[in-house]
Amino acid sequence: MAISLSSIKRGVSETAPRVLIYGVPGIGKTTFCANAPEPIFIQTEDGLGVIDAPAFPLAQSYQDVLDALNVLIAENHGFGTLVVDSLDWLEPLIWKKVCERQKVGTIEDLDYGKGYTMAVGYWREYIDGINYLRDAKQMMIIQTAHSAVKRFDNPETGPYDRYQIKLHINSKGEGAGALVQEHSDCVLFANYKTNVTDEKLEFNKTKKRAIGSGARMLYTQEKPSYLAKNRYGLPESIALDGNTWSVLAQHVPYLKKFLPDSPPPAEQEEPETNA
């Protein structure tokens, strides 16, 4: 490719986003994905339930996932969004593939973390496939995952616990979890909104008490208590409800063609607990 000053471009990109949504069980991640523009699901867990959405048969192996990707790459279709549900159920399929190739029982049977390093190679192969769908077929990519509370070693403040994606990351911060986070344009954390109040005790003492309203929220910017990011200037928090996609469309250029009459983004309250 020839590079010159005439090749310089500017303007807002309307490229399809790569979204990773993770959160606590039962929060509504799959329902959120089913409301995306023209979705097709690759299922590694049986999470659709009664949700009526197009889906490939439940993947039983890593090769099943690749086969589904290859069908979408090779054949003409009208799907606009690929949903992979979920990554933390895809990970054991990749580990199984590593074990079959190395003729071992478990990935831990390989010394010095070698198995996890080999697994990253398969993750890269998978990411190449979803990237091709995004670039060549203009498909939005949504990947789901569950959350886990893990220790985070912050060199500035010392270690503390926070919500992270339930994927393998080693002590150096390397692994599948780090790879998919870096690959994503948005990492959205889904959780119930809670407020923290001071409860008065005897002898002028107080203790913190969390009160939940049941409201479901998407958090888009990183805080000490959870991992999140976005490249679109999204509000810090967005209600996870029937209006979520309309709010996202006000900030993500790609979505505006699907939701042209979306209302302006509603004012979002500052989260009081996830700080």
Side-chain angles (χ1 to χ4, degrees), residues 26-132:
I27 192 71
K29 300 184 294 295
T30 303
T31 301
F32 166 79
C33 296
N35 290 320
E38 300 151 356
I40 175 68
F41 278 72
I42 295 179
Q43 300 180 91
T44 58
E45 63 169 302
D46 191 8
L48 275 176
V50 298
I51 299 173
D52 184 14
F56 288 100
L58 182 66
Q60 303 292 332
S61 67
Y62 172 65
Q63 188 60 48
D64 287 346
V65 175
L66 291 187
D67 289 346
L69 291 176
N70 286 330
V71 166
L72 293 173
I73 289 171
E75 298 184 15
N76 293 326
H77 56 80
F79 298 115
T81 303
L82 169 64
V83 180
V84 180
D85 187 23
S86 66
L87 294 184
D88 47 298
W89 282 64
L90 171 58
E91 186 165 58
L93 300 182
I94 290 178
W95 290 351
K96 182 180 178 181
K97 179 69 173 178
V98 171
C99 293
E100 290 172 349
R101 289 289 300 273
Q102 297 300 308
K103 297 180 172 56
V104 295
T106 72
I107 199 165
E108 292 286 350
D109 292 338
L110 296 167
D111 293 337
Y112 309 114
K114 179 182 176 182
Y116 298 110
T117 300
M118 294 182 66
V120 168
Y122 289 109
W123 278 107
R124 293 188 185 280
E125 180 182 36
Y126 156 78
I127 287 175
D128 286 344
I130 61 176
N131 278 343
Y132 186 89

Side-chain angles (χ1 to χ4, degrees), residues 95-272:
W95 290 351
K96 182 180 178 181
K97 179 69 173 178
V98 171
C99 293
E100 290 172 349
R101 289 289 300 273
Q102 297 300 308
K103 297 180 172 56
V104 295
T106 72
I107 199 165
E108 292 286 350
D109 292 338
L110 296 167
D111 293 337
Y112 309 114
K114 179 182 176 182
Y116 298 110
T117 300
M118 294 182 66
V120 168
Y122 289 109
W123 278 107
R124 293 188 185 280
E125 180 182 36
Y126 156 78
I127 287 175
D128 286 344
I130 61 176
N131 278 343
Y132 186 89
L133 285 173
R134 175 186 183 244
D135 297 338
K137 297 282 182 125
Q138 289 79 53
M139 294 185 73
M140 178 164 62
I141 307 298
I142 306 180
Q143 302 170 98
T144 75
H146 295 90
S147 62
V149 177
K150 299 181 181 180
R151 173 189 170 107
F152 177 66
D153 292 317
N154 189 326
E156 296 182 346
T157 64
Y160 52 82
D161 290 342
R162 70 171 179 173
Y163 287 105
Q164 298 186 61
I165 300 161
K166 192 179 178 182
L167 290 174
H168 178 264
I169 297 180
N170 64 22
S171 59
K172 298 179 180 179
E174 302 167 339
L179 183 65
V180 298
Q181 291 166 33
E182 293 168 3
H183 166 260
S184 301
D185 300 306
C186 296
V187 177
L188 307 178
F189 173 55
N191 199 3
Y192 295 99
K193 182 177 180 180
T194 55
N195 298 321
V196 175
T197 62
D198 289 327
E199 181 179 355
K200 292 184 179 180
L201 304 175
E202 295 179 346
F203 309 112
N204 294 324
K205 293 183 178 180
T206 62
K207 72 174 183 179
K208 299 293 184 182
R209 182 180 181 186
I211 301 175
S213 66
R216 299 174 301 144
M217 305 296 295
L218 281 181
Y219 298 100
T220 71
Q221 300 172 23
E222 185 167 350
K223 296 291 182 180
S225 56
Y226 57 81
L227 172 76
K229 73 171 188 179
N230 79 89
R231 295 171 178 165
Y232 299 101
L234 296 175
E236 184 176 312
S237 63
I238 301 172
L240 183 55
D241 56 23
N243 196 45
T244 307
W245 282 105
S246 296
V247 175
L248 291 174
Q250 296 302 308
H251 301 272
V252 182
Y254 172 83
L255 291 175
K256 292 182 180 180
K257 60 185 176 183
F258 295 101
L259 301 168
D261 299 323
S262 303
E267 289 292 330
Q268 301 290 334
E269 297 181 15
E270 290 291 325
E272 298 184 27

